[in-house]
């Protein structure tokens, strides 16, 4: 652009499209301005076109869905080197259809608190900052709403806590987890349900370097990440809980250890910790190295520590692939079947 030449001023719309507490974002394909960056769906206003009309058209053309632009959320002014834009952002409801990539762009449903993990252009980053300030990070399906106490806040907190129990495989190894914390977590397991109230589970705790190294050496970490052999130095768990079944109480442990372990992970998540239930264990080696008596069956190992990675739960894709995967930014993605698919009838 020649010096003194006025920059073109574009008027652009973007939609906050909600589904089950997530927002729809799309990645700009090659050949477009800011290619590779993520954005909220929308596009450039045509002459004589209303803002909401523009937003409906752009979303239909890009993603093949119909939405109803509702309340205006924010207007952002931004100046690039070669252009100026005014971005008008609207909440959208009434989505009809399923998004498809009509322009070769990738798209995802993302929880609002995970948006900063993605690379957005400056105007969209302003929108994200406004969302977080306006809602305090608490959002609901069907449009942005501040969740203020009572039943709604309780539901949000419970769901958020459960989501944080997704498996963490990389940790801040130098951030210690005390024995008092491990005992507290086992006490949560102790208070959990047990078939016939037999309470056959026993536990071994470890937060000491040498014992941790011994336990780590017996574990296999992520079957779907074939090129990844597990966390390296500095990213390994700070602590472990080995879950055992006492054969002198019963020889069948049912789902007791699953219930107890989820209680442990919920407690860990509430304290800002992450964990991973590891079932792929060299049990004979672990038994020998830690001198675990034969009466105790090694059920699994729970790794614990301060998370060094982000895990994102997202809808199962059209190909039905349930394998978790890790993107180039190190974000761990976990596909989940929809609620509609898993509830057979009601």
């Amino acid at each position: 652009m020649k010096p003194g030449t006025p920059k073109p001023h574009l008027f652009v719309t973007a939609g906050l499209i909600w589904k089950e507490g997530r927002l729809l974002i799309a990645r700009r394909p090659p050949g477009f301005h800011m290619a590779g960056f993520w954005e909220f769906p929308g596009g450039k206003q045509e002459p004589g076109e209303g803002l909401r009309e523009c937003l409906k058209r752009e979303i239909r053309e890009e993603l093949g869905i119909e939405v109803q632009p509702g309340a205006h959320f924010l207007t952002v002014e931004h100046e690039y080197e070669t252009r100026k834009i005014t971005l008008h952002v609207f909440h959208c409801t009434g989505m009809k259809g399923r998004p498809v990539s009509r322009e070769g762009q990738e798209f995802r449903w993302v929880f609002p608190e995970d948006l900063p993990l993605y690379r957005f252009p400056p105007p969209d980053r302003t929108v994200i900052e406004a969302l977080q300030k306006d809602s305090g990070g608490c959002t609901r399906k069907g449009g942005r709403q501040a969740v203020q106490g009572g039943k709604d806040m309780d539901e949000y907190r419970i769901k958020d806590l459960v989501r944080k129990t997704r498996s963490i495989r990389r940790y801040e190894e130098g951030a210690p987890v005390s024995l008092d914390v491990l005992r507290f977590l086992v006490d949560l397991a102790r208070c959990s349900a047990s078939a016939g109230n037999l309470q056959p589970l026993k536990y071994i705790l470890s937060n000491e370097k040498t014992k941790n190294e011994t336990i780590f050496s017996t574990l296999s970490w992520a079957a779907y990440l074939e090129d990844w052999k597990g966390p390296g130095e500095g990213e390994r768990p700070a602590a472990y809980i080995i879950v055992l079944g006492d054969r002198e109480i019963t020889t069948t442990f049912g789902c007791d250890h699953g219930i107890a372990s989820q209680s442990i992970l919920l407690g860990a998540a509430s304290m800002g910790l992450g964990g991973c239930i590891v079932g792929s264990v060299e049990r004979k080696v672990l038994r020998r190295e830690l001198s675990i008596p034969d009466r105790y069956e090694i059920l699994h190992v729970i790794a614990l520590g301060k998370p060094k990675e982000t895990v994102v739960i997202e809808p199962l894709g059209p190909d039905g692939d349930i394998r978790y995967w890790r993107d180039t930014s190190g974000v761990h993605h976990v596909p989940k079947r929809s609620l509609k698919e898993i509830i057979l009838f009601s």
Side-chain angles (χ1 to χ4, degrees), residues 101-163:
S101 177
R102 288 189 165 180
E103 296 181 348
Q105 75 275 47
E106 183 181 355
F107 61 85
R108 293 179 189 170
W109 293 99
V110 177
F111 283 101
E113 60 266 35
D114 294 329
L115 289 171
L117 301 172
Y118 295 82
R119 189 171 61 152
F120 284 87
D124 294 74
R125 289 204 300 268
T126 301
V127 176
I128 293 169
E129 291 170 3
L131 273 170
Q132 293 176 334
K133 290 178 181 178
D134 192 67
S135 68
C138 299
T139 50
R140 300 291 292 172
K141 179 182 176 182
R144 180 197 50 78
Q145 302 173 12
V147 183
Q148 298 174 345
K151 183 172 178 287
D152 281 347
M153 179 59 87
D154 288 343
E155 289 178 355
Y156 177 85
R157 284 173 174 162
I158 291 169
K159 187 171 184 179
D160 184 59
L161 193 62
V162 170
R163 287 195 303 107

Side-chain angles (χ1 to χ4, degrees), residues 170-175 209 231-238 306 308:
R170 291 182 293 166
Y171 304 85
E172 299 282 354
E173 191 172 351
K209 181 176 174 60
E233 292 283 350
E235 295 187 338
R236 293 174 181 174
K306 181 180 178 182
K308 196 177 180 179

Side-chain angles (χ1 to χ4, degrees), residues 59-132:
I59 290 174
R60 183 188 311 118
E61 292 174 355
E62 291 180 10
L63 297 170
I65 57 175
E66 296 290 335
V67 298
Q68 293 299 323
H72 176 266
F73 176 65
L74 187 69
T75 296
V76 180
E77 303 279 351
H78 186 77
E79 186 170 340
Y80 290 102
E81 187 175 344
T82 60
R83 67 188 74 185
K84 298 178 182 179
I85 72 162
T86 299
L87 175 65
H88 297 277
V89 186
F90 297 87
H91 292 291
C92 295
T93 58
M95 185 182 76
K96 295 181 180 179
R98 184 172 181 172
V100 294
S101 177
R102 288 189 165 180
E103 296 181 348
Q105 75 275 47
E106 183 181 355
F107 61 85
R108 293 179 189 170
W109 293 99
V110 177
F111 283 101
E113 60 266 35
D114 294 329
L115 289 171
L117 301 172
Y118 295 82
R119 189 171 61 152
F120 284 87
D124 294 74
R125 289 204 300 268
T126 301
V127 176
I128 293 169
E129 291 170 3
L131 273 170
Q132 293 176 334

Side-chain angles (χ1 to χ4, degrees), residues 73-315:
F73 176 65
L74 187 69
T75 296
V76 180
E77 303 279 351
H78 186 77
E79 186 170 340
Y80 290 102
E81 187 175 344
T82 60
R83 67 188 74 185
K84 298 178 182 179
I85 72 162
T86 299
L87 175 65
H88 297 277
V89 186
F90 297 87
H91 292 291
C92 295
T93 58
M95 185 182 76
K96 295 181 180 179
R98 184 172 181 172
V100 294
S101 177
R102 288 189 165 180
E103 296 181 348
Q105 75 275 47
E106 183 181 355
F107 61 85
R108 293 179 189 170
W109 293 99
V110 177
F111 283 101
E113 60 266 35
D114 294 329
L115 289 171
L117 301 172
Y118 295 82
R119 189 171 61 152
F120 284 87
D124 294 74
R125 289 204 300 268
T126 301
V127 176
I128 293 169
E129 291 170 3
L131 273 170
Q132 293 176 334
K133 290 178 181 178
D134 192 67
S135 68
C138 299
T139 50
R140 300 291 292 172
K141 179 182 176 182
R144 180 197 50 78
Q145 302 173 12
V147 183
Q148 298 174 345
K151 183 172 178 287
D152 281 347
M153 179 59 87
D154 288 343
E155 289 178 355
Y156 177 85
R157 284 173 174 162
I158 291 169
K159 187 171 184 179
D160 184 59
L161 193 62
V162 170
R163 287 195 303 107
K164 289 177 179 177
T165 64
R166 289 301 315 160
S167 296
I168 298 294
R169 294 176 174 85
R170 291 182 293 166
Y171 304 85
E172 299 282 354
E173 191 172 351
V177 177
S178 70
L179 283 177
D180 284 342
V181 167
L182 296 179
R183 291 188 184 100
F184 169 78
L185 296 177
V186 170
D187 196 40
L188 295 179
R190 181 185 67 85
C191 295
S192 300
S194 174
N197 202 33
L198 292 178
Q199 305 168 70
L201 302 183
K202 303 293 170 64
Y203 305 88
I204 295 174
L205 312 182
S206 176
N207 70 342
E208 184 270 323
K209 181 176 174 60
T210 301
K211 191 191 294 185
N212 282 358
E213 290 175 350
T214 298
I215 296 170
F216 177 83
S217 69
T218 68
L219 307 180
S220 296
W221 280 88
Y224 291 147
L225 304 180
E226 296 178 359
D227 297 330
W228 189 67
K229 302 306 179 183
E233 292 283 350
E235 295 187 338
R236 293 174 181 174
Y240 296 92
I241 297 174
I242 303 173
V243 183
L244 309 170
D246 190 340
R247 294 191 182 103
E248 292 190 3
I249 295 176
T250 181
T251 57
T252 57
F253 305 102
C255 56
D256 274 27
H257 47 304
I259 296 170
S261 297
Q262 182 66 4
S263 295
I264 288 172
L265 292 180
L266 285 167
S270 74
M271 304 167 77
L273 300 174
C276 183
I277 301 172
V278 184
S280 183
V281 182
E282 293 183 50
R283 287 171 170 79
K284 290 182 179 179
V285 176
L286 184 60
R287 183 181 301 280
R288 182 183 69 243
E289 293 298 318
L290 297 188
S291 301
I292 300 173
D294 288 340
R295 69 178 276 186
Y296 300 112
E297 181 176 336
I298 300 172
L299 300 172
H300 56 236
V301 175
I302 303 175
L304 294 161
K306 181 180 178 182
K308 196 177 180 179
E309 67 178 357
T310 298
V311 178
V312 177
I313 296 175
E314 57 192 24

